Amino acid sequence: MPELPEVESVARQLAPRLRGRTLRQVELLDPRLHDADPRPALGGTVERVARAGKQVELRFRGAGQCRTVRLLCHLRMTGRLIWLADGETVHETKHLRARLRFEGGELLFIDPRRFGTLRFVTADCELPARGLEPLSRGCTPARLAGLLAGSRQELKPWLLRQDRLVGLGNIYASEIAFQARLHPRRRAGSLRPEEVRRLCDAVRRVLRRAIRFGGTTFSDFADAAGRAGRFYSMLAVYDREGRPCRRCRTPVVRFVQQQRSTYCCPACQPRRPAGTVVAKPSARETR
DNA sequence: ATTATATCCTGATCGC
DNA sequence: TGCGATCAGGATATAA
């Protein structure tokens, strides 16, 4: 399930292979992709390959009338982008959904579950507003505090909202809440400044580390060369129900939020901030 | 307005 | 061995 680190890994691998190449032909094999009109990009040259949120973005230059055309590919659950240089072959073509032919090779979009999307976007297209890039300079505790303010939503579902922060999915949302030592059911707007700071720190630390390990392969993620990510074994809580917390050995618990599994350590991630008075002290205890 | 739920889709896995 | 039921989840549409 490609989230930010997985998409970043794909984009980084694709970049040197695609940069400077000219797009010659696009075959959309899945009817679900037929809305994408590739014509503005045909004949264009790849200028840049990057990640935007959870999408892979190819920017073309010199395509027809338009100065700049972008291809946005969202891998969703099971999408993969595979680069095949001329002469190379791939075993699995069963779930081939689109094929982009370039000078010197082709880019295959393979997606068993067919949730993935492809779109060609010209400069005049208005894109919907997206959330903050969590690894950008703008992602600061102050900025995060502003986004969180007033929300009654539970923290982990809040982290999945792409209109606040882009790029987090079910795996990293649990991992980040653990790293920040915040319970996933805390109300997003209830975090104290110190907790927001921890959250901000956790977001950046977890994502950067996952990128360094090439992302997480849970079921079927693979990068542009078809390799699995190496972060799975580093996960602290995700998919570790009943196994000891890596910090304190307390068994990790699983519960459901928004029909999705959430994992946390009940000891490291208390439901109330440290120092909160849980019960009123009795008269006897007060002096 | 904000938040929750159903939906899409298919392969893998589970229980009988 | 087979078979139906269940699960996995990103984003969007729809409901509350």
Side-chain angles (χ1 to χ4, degrees), chain A residues 277 279-287:
Chain A
V277 178
K280 280 185 189 166
S282 66
R284 191 181 308 241
E285 282 165 335
T286 355
R287 189 167 315 259

Side-chain angles (χ1 to χ4, degrees), chain A residues 7-52:
Chain A
V7 180
E8 180 73 29
S9 300
V10 171
R12 286 185 188 183
Q13 293 195 331
L14 249 21
R17 296 174 165 94
L18 289 178
R19 211 179 292 124
R21 292 191 193 272
T22 301
L23 181 64
R24 288 303 181 207
Q25 189 192 5
V26 174
E27 289 175 64
L28 301 172
L29 304 160
D30 183 345
R32 285 176 66 95
L33 301 174
H34 282 358
D35 282 348
D37 177 7
R39 283 173 298 183
L42 292 176
T45 299
V46 179
E47 184 176 63
R48 191 176 113 93
V49 181
R51 174 193 59 77

Side-chain angles (χ1 to χ4, degrees), chain A residues 54 131-132 134 139-170 172-174 176-177 182-191 195-196 199-200 203 257-258 262:
Chain A
K54 290 181 192 170
L132 181 63
C139 185
T140 61
R143 187 77 193 284
L144 210 46
L147 292 171
L148 289 159
S151 174
R152 301 264 314 143
Q153 202 166 17
E154 296 182 336
L155 177 63
K156 192 257 191 165
W158 188 91
L159 289 171
L160 297 177
R161 295 183 56 160
Q162 304 299 302
D163 61 339
R164 294 297 189 268
L165 279 181
V166 290
L168 305 185
N170 206 43
Y172 294 108
S174 278
I176 286 165
L182 296 169
H183 195 281
R185 289 208 199 277
R186 289 283 304 278
R187 300 286 164 179
S190 77
L191 303 193
E195 295 174 324
V196 174
L199 179 63
C200 189
V203 165
Q257 288 177 290
Q258 288 190 321
T262 297

Side-chain angles (χ1 to χ4, degrees), chain A residues 64-271:
Chain A
Q65 336 279 68
C66 315
R67 285 190 307 276
T68 303
V69 182
R70 286 175 295 168
L71 164 61
L72 288 173
C73 178
H74 201 311
L75 305 173
R76 295 283 180 101
M77 301 297 300
T78 54
R80 297 165 58 175
L81 286 172
I82 305 285
W83 170 252
L84 284 187
D86 280 344
E88 289 181 338
T89 52
V90 70
H91 23 285
E92 219 253 285
T93 50
K94 184 176 167 195
H95 301 115
L96 183 62
R97 306 301 181 200
R99 163 183 274 158
L100 288 81
R101 296 186 190 277
F102 289 86
E103 213 102 299
E106 58 185 2
L107 185 62
L108 305 183
F109 179 48
I110 293 169
D111 185 17
R113 242 175 272 186
R114 302 169 69 209
F115 278 180
T117 59
L118 278 186
R119 346 178 243 162
F120 293 89
V121 172
T122 49
D124 52 318
C125 291
E126 202 58 43
L127 290 171
R130 299 201 344 271
L132 181 63
E133 281 286 350
L135 296 180
S136 68
R137 294 191 94 80
C139 185
T140 61
R143 187 77 193 284
L144 210 46
L147 292 171
L148 289 159
S151 174
R152 301 264 314 143
Q153 202 166 17
E154 296 182 336
L155 177 63
K156 192 257 191 165
W158 188 91
L159 289 171
L160 297 177
R161 295 183 56 160
Q162 304 299 302
D163 61 339
R164 294 297 189 268
L165 279 181
V166 290
L168 305 185
N170 206 43
I171 296 177
Y172 294 108
S174 278
E175 292 296 308
I176 286 165
F178 170 79
Q179 192 68 49
R181 298 192 214 170
L182 296 169
H183 195 281
R185 289 208 199 277
R186 289 283 304 278
R187 300 286 164 179
S190 77
L191 303 193
R192 297 151 172 212
E194 158 63 15
E195 295 174 324
V196 174
R197 209 187 53 71
R198 291 209 311 261
L199 179 63
C200 189
D201 207 50
V203 165
R204 305 176 68 97
R205 284 231 307 277
V206 169
L207 294 178
R208 288 211 180 283
R209 197 160 127 88
I211 289 170
R212 207 161 65 233
F213 284 87
T216 304
T217 294
F218 181 55
S219 50
D220 39 22
F221 166 73
D223 64 24
R227 284 190 300 262
R230 289 156 286 124
F231 195 69
Y232 181 83
S233 61
M234 326 272 300
L235 294 174
V237 287
Y238 186 84
D239 201 31
R240 285 177 52 83
E241 182 180 17
R243 301 183 56 199
C245 166
R246 295 195 197 273
R247 272 191 72 241
C248 75
R249 318 311 292 170
T250 301
V252 169
V253 299
R254 184 186 80 91
F255 51 92
V256 172
Q257 288 177 290
Q258 288 190 321
Q259 349 265 52
R260 304 286 186 259
S261 290
T262 297
Y263 298 84
C264 81
C265 169
C268 293
Q269 298 167 265
R271 300 192 62 157

